[in-house]
Amino acid sequence: MLIVNKGEKVKIRVKVNGIWYERYVSPRMLLVDFIRDELGLTGTKVGCDTTTCGACTVLLNGRSVKSCTVFAVQADGAEITTIEGLSVDSKLHPIQEAFKDNFALQCGFCTPGMIMQSYFLLKENPNPTEEEVKDGLHGNICRCTGYQNIIKAVLDASRRLRA
């Protein structure tokens, strides 16, 4: 159990998108705020702060988490992947390409979380059915697209990744 005095900061060390960072943070700082405010990685969005929307989805030690419900201190020593960590040498990841090619975004606010959840889904199940995609994305909300193109994009990404 972490015990600190009021106002005291705690040193954490995390590996984000392949780079180790050390920072002093408030024990109450959320992981999403750490990612955005301390590291300047603004692809991860703050949508609801209640795990409802999924806009803040990242991978924490390979598992999909909603970073608005994880304290940064809980990630000490962990490996985190954000949307910025998927592309390599400015080349989009196949899931990002599939979202672009299938028009699976409109305003783009939910897109990073949708892509990160899709990444996790396809790691766990490389060849999902349409129903499995729907089930795998059920914790992520898009208020613009109606989901058809998102589902189409995930199925397309699955084919691309298996090719």
Side-chain angles (χ1 to χ4, degrees):
M1 177 194 262
L2 179 67
I3 300 173
V4 296
N5 295 323
K6 186 177 181 178
E8 190 174 327
K9 294 200 175 199
V10 177
K11 183 178 177 181
I12 65 169
R13 186 170 188 259
V14 293
K15 188 176 188 179
V16 181
N17 302 328
I19 301 170
W20 283 101
Y21 295 91
E22 286 186 5
R23 297 286 193 280
Y24 285 89
V25 299
S26 163
R28 297 179 52 87
M29 176 178 263
L30 295 173
L31 183 58
V32 67
D33 296 324
F34 175 79
I35 291 167
R36 291 178 58 80
D37 300 339
E38 292 293 321
L39 302 184
L41 299 172
T42 58
T44 303
K45 304 299 182 204
V46 178
C48 66
D49 284 328
T50 62
T51 74
T52 304
C53 74
C56 66
T57 302
V58 299
L59 299 182
L60 179 65
N61 290 330
R63 303 293 301 168
S64 170
V65 299
K66 293 179 179 173
S67 59
C68 72
T69 59
V70 176
F71 290 118
V73 295
Q74 291 174 293
D76 185 31
E79 189 166 332
I80 300 164
T81 305
T82 69
I83 189 72
E84 291 91 347
L86 292 188
S87 61
V88 178
D89 296 327
S90 299
K91 183 174 174 4
L92 294 178
H93 186 277
I95 297 172
Q96 293 170 307
E97 286 284 346
F99 267 66
K100 178 179 69 79
D101 294 346
N102 288 279
F103 307 101
L105 53 104
Q106 284 184 11
C107 81
F109 193 83
C110 73
T111 305
M114 284 286 184
I115 289 174
M116 294 307 296
Q117 185 61 32
S118 299
Y119 181 88
F120 177 71
L121 168 67
L122 295 176
K123 280 255 188 232
E124 296 288 305
N125 182 357
N127 191 18
T129 65
E130 183 174 326
E131 283 303 313
E132 290 169 328
V133 171
K134 289 178 185 177
D135 186 55
L137 296 178
H138 79 274
N140 291 67
I141 295 174
C142 176
R143 300 186 198 290
C144 302
T145 67
Y147 299 98
Q148 290 82 6
N149 288 346
I150 293 171
I151 293 164
K152 200 165 91 175
V154 175
L155 293 170
D156 182 25
S158 169
R159 288 186 289 277
R160 293 176 191 216
L161 289 167
R162 286 182 284 117

